[in-house]
C-alpha cells in the first residue's frame, strides 16, 4: 500500500507544522471547538486496538467499524465494498480526493493515524439503505480514525446511513460521497457520544441534476466537532437538509453545515434545530454560498436553538455569501428560544414538573426531526427514537 504509506507520511509531517484552526471564531469565544480536548488524544497502537474489539452494536449494519477494525457483514446486490487496506494504487488515489489534509492539525493527525475504512461503489438502485456503523470504545483517550469513500453512479437512487457511536477513546471519522449525473441520495448521519472528544468531517459532491436529502442527528460528546460540506457543482443539483443537535450534561457541540454552489440553477435548503440543557454548550454554524459560476441558484440556511435552563448555552450563526448578481434567491435566518414561563407555569399547575416540561419540549422537537426522515429510514427512525428517549429517561 505505497499510496497509503505516502499519504500518512505527508500527513504526519503536516501535523507537526499546522495549527488546529487558522483564526478565532469570534472576539468573545476563543474557539467554538475546544481543540485542547484533541491534544489529549494519544496516537493508536495495534496491540492496544486488538484488545477491545467486542462491542454489542445497537443497530444492524452492512459495514461495521469497531475501534477502526473493519467488518463487511452483508452487502446489498449492486454494491461493491473494499477495505482501504486492500486498495491498490488506482483506487487508492480516489481517497481523500475532495479533502485537503493540510487544512488543520486535526485532519492531518486523522490521516497520519488512519486505522481502517472502506471504498464503496453503488451501481444499482437500493431497496434498503446501506448502513455503516462506526463504534469506538477504549478505556483511555486513543485516537481512532476511519475513512469512507462512497461513489454513487449515474442515474442511481440510493439510501445511506452512517451511525457514529463514541463510548470511549477519541473517535475521528471522515466521509466522501460522490453523486453521479441524475443520481438521488437519501443520507442519514447520526453522531451520538458519551463524554469523549470526537471529530467528523463529511464531504458530499453532487453532479449534474443530482439531489441529496440529508438528515443529521448530533448528540452529546465532551467536545463534538461535526462538519458537513455539500458541494453542488453539478448543474441543477439540489440539497434538502435538516439537522438536530442535542446538548445535555456537560457536552459541547460545534456543528457546521456548508452548502456551496458552483453549478448553475442549483438549489439548497438547510435548517438545523438545536437543544441545550443542563450545562451543555452548542453552536450551529451554516454557510450558504453561491459562487460566480453558479448563476440562477437558490440557497437558504436557517437555525433555531432552544436554551432549556440557566447554565446552558446555544447559538446559531448562519451566513450567506453571493458572488454573482444573477441568483434566484439567497436567504438566512436565526432564532433562539427558551421555555415560555406562562406555558411552564400552566403545566406545573397541572402537576407537570419543570423537568418534565423540558422533556416534553425536547420530545416535540425530536419528533419533528424523526418524522422528517424519508420512509426508507423507518428502521433507523426507531433506533433514533430509542437513543433520544433513552437519554431523557436517564436524566430524570
Amino acid at each position: 500500500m505505497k499510496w497509503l504509506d505516502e499519504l500518512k507520511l505527508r500527513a504526519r509531517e503536516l501535523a507537526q507544522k499546522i495549527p488546529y484552526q487558522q483564526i478565532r471564531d469570534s472576539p468573545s469565544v476563543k474557539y467554538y471547538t475546544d481543540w485542547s480536548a484533541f491534544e489529549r488524544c494519544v496516537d493508536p497502537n495495534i496491540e492496544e486496538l486488538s484488545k477491545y474489539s467486542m462491542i454489542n452494536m445497537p443497530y444492524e449494519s452492512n459495514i461495521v467499524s469497531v475501534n477502526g477494525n473493519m467488518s463487511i457483514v452483508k452487502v446489498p446486490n449492486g454494491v461493491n465494498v473494499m477495505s482501504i487496506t486492500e486498495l491498490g494504487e488506482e483506487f487508492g488515489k480516489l481517497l481523500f480526493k475532495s479533502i485537503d489534509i493540510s487544512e488543520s492539525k486535526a485532519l492531518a493527525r486523522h490521516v497520519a493515524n488512519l486505522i481502517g475504512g472502506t471504498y464503496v461503489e453503488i451501481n444499482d438502485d437500493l431497496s434498503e439503505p446501506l448502513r455503516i456503523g462506526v463504534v469506538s470504545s477504549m478505556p483511555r483517550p486513543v485516537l481512532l480514525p476511519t475513512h469512507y469513500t462512497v461513489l454513487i453512479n449515474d442515474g442511481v437512487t440510493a439510501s445511506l446511513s452512517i451511525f457514529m457511536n463514541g463510548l470511549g477513546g477519541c473517535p475521528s471519522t471522515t466521509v466522501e460521497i460522490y453523486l453521479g449525473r441524475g443520481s438521488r441520495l437519501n443520507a442519514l448521519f447520526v453522531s451520538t457520544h458519551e463524554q469523549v472528544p470526537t471529530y467528523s468531517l463529511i464531504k458530499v459532491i453532487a453532479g449534474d441534476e443530482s439531489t441529496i436529502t440529508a438528515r443529521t442527528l448530533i448528540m452529546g460528546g465532551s467536545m463534538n466537532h461535526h462538519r458537513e460540506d455539500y458541494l453542488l457543482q453539478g448543474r441543477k443539483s439540489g440539497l434538502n437538509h435538516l439537522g438536530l443537535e442535542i446538548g445535555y450534561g456537560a457536552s459541547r457541540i460545534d456543528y457546521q453545515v456548508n452548502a456551496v454552489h458552483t453549478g448553475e440553477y442549483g438549489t439548497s435548503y438547510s435548517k438545523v434545530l438545536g437543544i441545550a440543557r443542563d450545562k451543555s454548550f452548542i453552536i450551529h454554524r451554516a454557510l450558504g454560498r453561491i459562487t460566480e459560476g453558479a448563476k440562477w441558484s437558490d440557497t437558504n440556511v436557517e437555525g433555531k436553538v432552544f436554551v432549556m435552563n440557566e447554565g446552558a448555552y446555544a447559538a446559531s450563526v448562519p451566513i450567506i455569501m453571493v458572488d454573482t448578481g444573477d441568483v434566484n434567491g439567497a436567504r438566512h435566518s436565526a432564532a433562539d428560544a427558551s421555555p415560555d414561563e406562562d406555558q411552564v407555569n400552566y403545566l406545573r399547575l397541572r402537576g407537570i414538573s419543570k423537568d418534565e416540561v423540558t422533556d416534553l419540549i425536547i420530545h416535540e422537537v425530536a419528533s419533528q426531526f424523526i418524522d422528517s426522515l424519508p420512509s426508507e429510514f423507518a428502521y433507523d427512525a426507531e433506533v433514533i427514537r430509542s437513543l433520544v428517549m433513552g437519554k431523557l429517561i436517564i436524566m430524570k
Side-chain angles (χ1 to χ4, degrees), residues 106-281:
L107 193 50
R109 286 192 69 197
H110 171 91
V111 175
N113 294 282
L114 192 65
I115 301 169
T118 55
Y119 171 86
V120 180
E121 284 188 3
I122 303 178
N123 302 307
D124 299 321
D125 292 353
L126 299 183
S127 58
E128 287 286 328
L130 178 71
R131 296 185 174 95
I132 299 176
V134 184
V135 179
S136 63
S137 180
M138 299 290 285
R140 71 189 191 104
V142 177
L143 189 63
L144 300 168
T146 57
H147 176 80
Y148 309 87
T149 293
V150 181
L151 275 67
I152 302 171
N153 280 336
D154 294 352
V156 170
T157 297
S159 297
L160 170 71
S161 67
I162 301 179
F163 276 74
M164 295 165 278
N165 190 9
L167 306 173
C170 297
S172 185
T173 309
T174 51
V175 181
E176 297 172 289
I177 303 174
Y178 298 90
L179 279 72
R181 182 184 181 88
S183 60
R184 304 285 183 271
L185 172 65
N186 294 316
L188 173 61
F189 307 116
V190 179
S191 174
T192 61
H193 299 276
E194 301 302 326
Q195 287 300 305
V196 299
T198 176
Y199 173 88
S200 51
L201 172 62
I202 296 171
K203 292 255 186 177
V204 184
I205 297 90
D208 289 347
E209 300 180 2
S210 62
T211 60
I212 308 145
T213 300
R215 298 292 182 264
T216 305
L217 171 65
I218 311 292
M219 187 164 64
S222 61
M223 182 61 256
N224 192 336
H225 176 94
H226 182 96
R227 191 177 104 200
E228 296 169 33
D229 292 346
Y230 296 92
L231 179 58
L232 302 166
Q233 66 180 19
R235 195 171 187 270
K236 295 184 179 180
S237 56
L239 167 69
N240 179 286
H241 169 263
L242 177 65
L244 171 63
E245 56 178 330
I246 301 176
Y248 63 93
S251 61
R252 183 179 179 120
I253 303 173
D254 182 9
Y255 180 26
Q256 186 173 2
V257 184
N258 301 312
V260 179
H261 293 261
T262 61
E264 293 182 342
Y265 294 96
T267 60
S268 64
Y269 174 78
S270 175
K271 181 176 182 178
V272 169
L273 303 171
I275 298 170
R277 66 176 297 173
D278 306 319
K279 300 294 183 180
S280 63
F281 176 107

Side-chain angles (χ1 to χ4, degrees), residues 3 15 27 29 31 51 57 63 97 110 113 158 164 203 218 228 231 250 266 280 284 294 310 315 329 375 380 394:
W3 68 270
V29 181
Y31 293 125
K51 293 180 181 179
M57 298 285 290
I63 301 167
K97 190 176 179 180
H110 171 91
N113 294 282
M164 295 165 278
K203 292 255 186 177
I218 311 292
E228 296 169 33
L231 179 58
S280 63
H284 159 240
E310 291 185 12
S375 59
D380 309 79
I394 290 170

Side-chain angles (χ1 to χ4, degrees), residues 306-309 337-344 354 357-358 361:
F306 297 84
V307 181
M308 307 310 299
N309 55 264
S338 300
D340 184 271
E341 283 299 321
D342 290 339
Q343 292 178 340
V344 171
K354 189 173 182 179
V357 173
T358 297
I361 295 172

